[in-house]
């Protein structure tokens, strides 16, 4: 495309979460139309561990598919459910037209233990889903190492097991230190992982809650982000500009190293994600206004 854009074309997918209220689900339609204007490869919709969003996730997946005609991946976690329940749910999803799944173990709510007759980790879940139907399956990867991992190597071995069980790609947890993503991809390749590893990109929406959330999931927040976002709590416009700039610089850095496919955690907010796409030359199909 030339100009200021990365040399190789960039492709994106957009992650959404199912809103809690009917009104939220209605409003999401507009967000989805705006995001669809950037021509993502697909959308994905998260799923509350333990099935807390089962109906809402399925409804949002269906709504996004009908509104956009684009593929939609249904996240599915296996904690708190038996194998038979998960298999039956997967069968229903397949029958309703779902072809893509992001297969996750999920986190147990406090005080609960894994169901003895359930899938115990995401590798077992992937194998189970493959037995149900020919889903296209993505799994999670952790460049900064999952908090429960015994070591970085055992974490990587587990990722390989998930892919060997039948997943076709991995999406990473968000990481702000881009070199860590590149080193992780190198280590994965050296370990014989050939599947695409798609960086998850988190445009910062609320810095305080991002810091809280990151503590729980093992994602580190570099000190320089404090300098970038500190004091912007009450300056949403400037914060959005800084967030879009940071995310597009990260994608550019990765693109310069040959990584051109990104999964954007939109947090159901279209503006920053769309700004990132614009800055990367992701070709808009129609204007965001037209789509709205
Ligand atoms: P697993 O990969 O099964 O396990 C997590 C880690 O534990 C592994 O990385 C490994 O280090 C260790 N481990 C587990 N089993 C073994 C084993 N048998 N041997 C050795 N090590 C093992 N959560 C939700 O609730 N809903 C969502 O929609 C959702 N979407 C996500 C999307 C992405 C892209 C990412 C990165 C995360 C998402 N999560 C979601 C969060 C995820 O559920 C948590 O990170 C959870 O703690 C682990 O799930 P997993 O699928 O990575 O589990």
């Amino acid at each position: 495309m030339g100009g200021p854009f990365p040399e190789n074309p960039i492709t994106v997918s957009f992650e959404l979460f199912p809103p809690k209220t009917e009104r939220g689900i209605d409003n999401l339609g507009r967000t989805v139309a705006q995001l669809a204007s950037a021509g993502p490869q697909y959308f994905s919709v998260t799923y509350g561990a333990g099935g807390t969003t089962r109906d809402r996730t399925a409804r949002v997946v269906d709504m996004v598919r009908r509104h956009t005609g684009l593929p939609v991946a249904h996240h599915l976690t296996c904690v708190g459910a038996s194998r038979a329940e998960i298999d039956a749910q997967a069968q229903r999803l397949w029958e309703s037209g779902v072809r893509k799944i992001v297969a996750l173990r999920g986190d147990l709510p406090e005080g609960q233990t894994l169901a003895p007759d359930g899938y115990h980790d995401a590798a077992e879940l992937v194998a189970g889903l493959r037995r149900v139907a020919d889903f296209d399956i993505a799994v999670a990867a952790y460049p900064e190492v999952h908090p429960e991992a015994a070591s970085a190597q055992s974490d990587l071995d587990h990722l390989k097991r998930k892919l060997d069980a039948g997943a076709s790609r991995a999406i990473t947890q968000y990481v702000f230190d881009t070199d860590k993503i590149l080193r992780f991809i190198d280590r994965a390749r050296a370990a014989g992982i050939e599947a695409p590893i798609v960086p998850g990109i988190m445009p910062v929406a609320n810095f305080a809650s991002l810091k809280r959330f990151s503590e729980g999931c093992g994602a580190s927040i570099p000190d320089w982000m404090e300098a970038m976002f500190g004091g912007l709590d009450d300056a949403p416009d400037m914060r959005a500009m800084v967030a879009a700039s940071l995310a597009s610089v990260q994608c550019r850095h990765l693109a310069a190293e040959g990584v051109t496919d990104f999964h954007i955690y939109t947090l159901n907010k279209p503006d920053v994600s769309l700004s990132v796409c614009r800055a990367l030359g992701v070709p808009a199909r129609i204007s965001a206004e037209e789509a709205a």
Side-chain angles (χ1 to χ4, degrees):
M1 188 181 285
F5 300 126
E7 204 168 301
N8 296 314
I10 303 293
T11 52
V12 296
S13 49
F14 290 134
E15 183 170 305
L16 305 165
F17 65 85
K20 285 202 173 80
T21 60
E22 286 301 314
R23 193 183 189 155
I25 294 181
D26 287 347
N27 291 341
L28 189 63
R30 187 164 193 269
T31 297
V32 164
Q34 288 176 289
L35 287 168
S37 72
Q41 302 290 297
Y42 67 94
F43 283 88
S44 84
V45 184
T46 61
Y47 186 82
T52 48
T53 67
R54 184 166 39 227
D55 295 342
R56 281 182 285 130
T57 296
R59 276 180 60 197
V60 172
V61 165
D62 191 50
M63 181 271 278
V64 178
R65 253 203 353 240
R66 278 188 291 105
H67 278 37
T68 66
L70 289 166
V72 185
H74 187 298
H75 292 219
L76 190 60
T77 62
C78 55
V79 289
S82 70
R83 289 173 183 234
E85 283 165 347
I86 294 283
D87 291 357
Q89 187 178 356
Q91 183 65 44
R92 284 195 299 276
L93 291 175
W94 179 266
E95 282 161 13
S96 73
V98 171
R99 295 292 177 265
K100 284 178 170 298
I101 297 227
V102 181
L104 304 141
R105 187 201 62 191
D107 288 315
L108 277 169
E110 270 207 13
Q112 283 193 30
T113 48
L114 278 170
D117 55 352
Y119 293 115
H120 293 129
D121 59 40
E124 288 189 3
L125 174 63
V126 171
L129 291 171
R130 297 289 302 179
R131 283 191 292 273
V132 171
D134 190 21
F135 289 110
D136 175 36
I137 303 173
V139 289
Y142 302 91
E144 294 192 282
V145 183
H146 190 276
E148 290 169 41
S151 66
Q153 187 56 47
S154 80
D155 207 30
L156 199 56
D157 292 344
H158 188 63
L159 173 61
K160 187 159 185 332
R161 271 197 293 278
K162 296 195 277 191
L163 291 160
D164 289 347
S168 61
R169 89 185 63 88
I171 303 171
T172 78
Q173 181 61 278
Y174 61 86
V175 178
F176 293 105
D177 179 342
T178 308
D179 285 335
K180 286 186 181 171
I181 305 176
L182 292 168
R183 284 199 295 272
F184 176 73
I185 294 175
D186 285 347
R187 287 201 311 113
R189 298 294 176 239
I193 291 175
E194 290 170 5
I197 297 174
V198 181
I201 303 295
M202 175 68 88
V204 178
N206 177 321
F207 192 53
S209 58
L210 176 73
K211 278 197 290 190
R212 266 195 311 278
F213 182 74
S214 299
E215 275 169 25
C217 70
S220 61
I221 303 290
D223 290 343
W224 50 259
M225 284 184 71
E226 296 278 354
M228 250 184 189
F229 289 97
L232 293 186
D233 289 353
D234 298 321
D237 291 348
M238 198 189 303
R239 194 174 62 224
M241 282 191 268
V242 176
S245 158
L246 176 61
S248 50
V249 165
Q250 177 168 51
C251 293
R252 249 165 221 285
H253 182 166
L254 289 162
E257 300 293 333
V259 181
T260 55
D261 193 14
F262 302 111
H263 185 73
I264 302 184
Y265 297 110
T266 71
L267 305 175
N268 294 1
K269 295 182 197 305
D271 291 350
V272 176
S273 300
L274 288 174
S275 305
V276 175
C277 292
R278 290 268 169 167
L280 294 171
V282 176
R285 291 194 307 187
I286 44 172
S287 76
E289 293 70 34
E290 208 180 323

